[in-house]
Amino acid sequence: MVGFKPTDVPPTAAVKFVGAGTAACIADLITFPLDTAKVRLQIQGENKVAVEARTAQYRGVFGTMATMVKNEGPRSLYNGLVAGLQRQMSFASVRIGLYDSVKHFYTKGSEHAGIGSRLLAGCTTGAMAVAVAQPTDVVKVRFQAQARIEGGRRYQGTLDAYKTIAREEGVRGLWKGTSPNITRNALVNCAELVTYDLIKDALLKYNLMTDNLPCHFTSAFGAGFCTTVIASPVDVVKTRYMNSAPGQYGSAVKCALAMLRKEGPLAFYKGFTPSFLRLGSWNVVMFVTYEQLKRAMMAARGSREAPF
């Protein structure tokens, strides 16, 4: 057995809630530069001058990261990290930590959950998470998109970003892009959590693997690939719309139509490689850490409660 052994007592909702947020923060710390590169590639081409010049400032995942380090310094790869960690503690705790509880609610406590119940649970927790954490996502994207060249920085700090957005765009500005983000996270949650659930269940059911690190790694990697394929188009629109200036796009739908008209259908898969690298690695780190944290926390709880 690799890692912590499964405990006899299943993890509580509180353990899952805290464990999911913590595991997501650890995954973000490791994969954040890939996410920043993805955002830069997704918004590239938005500027009319850049499109007319037909020149790409960023080329490829690692080329983007190298260009950012050269022009803005290595710290630019972690622009928006504070907001990103705030987002994960509020966002992942809800969408991942409450997934099993909501799934059991829809199945009325039955251990055998069908595809419909899993999809419904994924959509529910994904929407709940967006409602709670949307402002942190807006600030994170704005920080990742801003370059430290040509006129300085857009925001001076995380708190300044919240205040500036609320002052210039109103409180509604902090919830900008909520609609495409709910759509994206319904897709992401369903693809990510349900795929992980199904792959893991199949591996255990047919005795291909035991419930340990290799099983969690394989399930997470498969979930990351499926999620990237399904969610990339919505993710690109979400990033463009959330980063846009007030009045640039009337709605997320208009943003998508403008992309299609000016840049063609392939624009919806801009940044696909960094998206997959990021989501694949993020899923592996997050799910492996999450599974181990649940077991470690339940083991610690059991040792405290055990009589001497």
Side-chain angles (χ1 to χ4, degrees):
M1 172 64 69
V2 182
F4 287 98
K5 295 180 180 180
T7 56
D8 295 329
V9 180
T12 63
V15 165
K16 292 177 183 178
F17 188 86
V18 175
T22 305
C25 284
I26 293 171
D28 244 30
L29 283 169
I30 295 172
T31 64
F32 205 80
L34 291 170
D35 192 43
T36 303
K38 177 203 74 172
V39 169
R40 292 291 179 96
L41 285 167
Q42 286 178 336
I43 64 171
Q44 186 165 254
E46 197 173 21
N47 188 296
K48 290 182 180 179
V49 175
V51 174
E52 289 170 2
R54 295 183 182 178
T55 58
Q57 183 183 359
Y58 305 117
R59 297 183 184 277
V61 187
F62 299 106
T64 298
M65 293 169 68
T67 300
M68 289 178 64
V69 171
K70 179 182 177 182
N71 294 339
E72 306 169 51
R75 291 182 62 184
S76 64
L77 296 173
Y78 283 90
N79 273 350
L81 178 62
V82 174
L85 295 179
Q86 291 172 349
R87 174 180 180 267
Q88 292 300 352
M89 278 309 297
S90 55
F91 186 73
S93 297
V94 174
R95 79 176 184 90
I96 298 171
L98 298 183
Y99 170 74
D100 285 335
S101 299
V102 174
K103 182 176 68 175
H104 290 152
F105 171 79
Y106 284 130
T107 57
K108 296 179 170 56
S110 172
E111 291 297 321
H112 303 287
I115 294 287
S117 299
R118 298 180 199 230
L119 291 173
L120 196 54
C123 287
T124 301
T125 57
M128 288 168 59
V130 172
V132 172
Q134 182 68 6
T136 62
D137 204 11
V138 172
V139 171
K140 179 184 81 77
V141 168
R142 297 281 182 96
F143 263 104
Q144 288 177 313
Q146 73 175 1
R148 298 183 184 178
I149 52 177
E150 298 179 2
R153 304 183 65 178
R154 193 173 181 181
Y155 308 110
Q156 300 306 312
T158 306
L159 288 177
D160 177 60
Y162 287 116
K163 292 177 182 177
T164 302
I165 293 171
R167 184 175 64 251
E168 295 180 355
E169 303 173 41
V171 176
R172 290 181 62 184
L174 291 170
W175 269 268
K176 188 174 187 178
T178 299
S179 179
N181 214 10
I182 286 177
T183 304
R184 174 191 179 271
N185 280 292
L187 292 173
V188 166
N189 241 29
C190 290
E192 192 176 79
L193 297 178
V194 175
T195 304
Y196 179 83
D197 233 2
L198 292 173
I199 294 174
K200 182 182 173 184
D201 285 353
L203 291 173
L204 297 177
K205 180 180 178 180
Y206 295 105
N207 296 316
L208 299 174
M209 290 182 175
T210 54
D211 193 3
N212 56 19
L213 285 174
C215 174
H216 304 156
F217 180 96
T218 305
S219 303
F221 188 83
F225 180 76
C226 292
T227 304
T228 309
V229 171
I230 293 170
S232 272
V234 182
D235 190 36
V236 175
V237 173
K238 181 211 77 166
T239 299
R240 290 279 185 97
Y241 185 61
M242 285 168 60
N243 185 58
S244 64
Q248 183 176 354
Y249 303 115
S251 66
V253 173
K254 290 182 179 178
C255 176
L257 291 174
M259 284 175 56
L260 183 62
R261 185 175 64 255
K262 295 177 181 178
E263 303 168 59
L266 289 178
F268 293 99
Y269 279 92
K270 276 194 170 184
F272 180 84
T273 302
S275 286
F276 173 60
L277 287 174
R278 197 263 174 173
L279 265 179
S281 57
W282 191 91
N283 270 271
V284 168
V285 176
M286 195 285 297
F287 277 115
V288 168
T289 305
Y290 179 44
E291 296 279 10
Q292 294 301 304
L293 277 174
K294 286 191 295 184
R295 295 177 180 184
M297 291 168 74
M298 289 306 294
R301 178 180 175 179
S303 64
R304 286 200 308 269
E305 294 176 354
F308 290 100

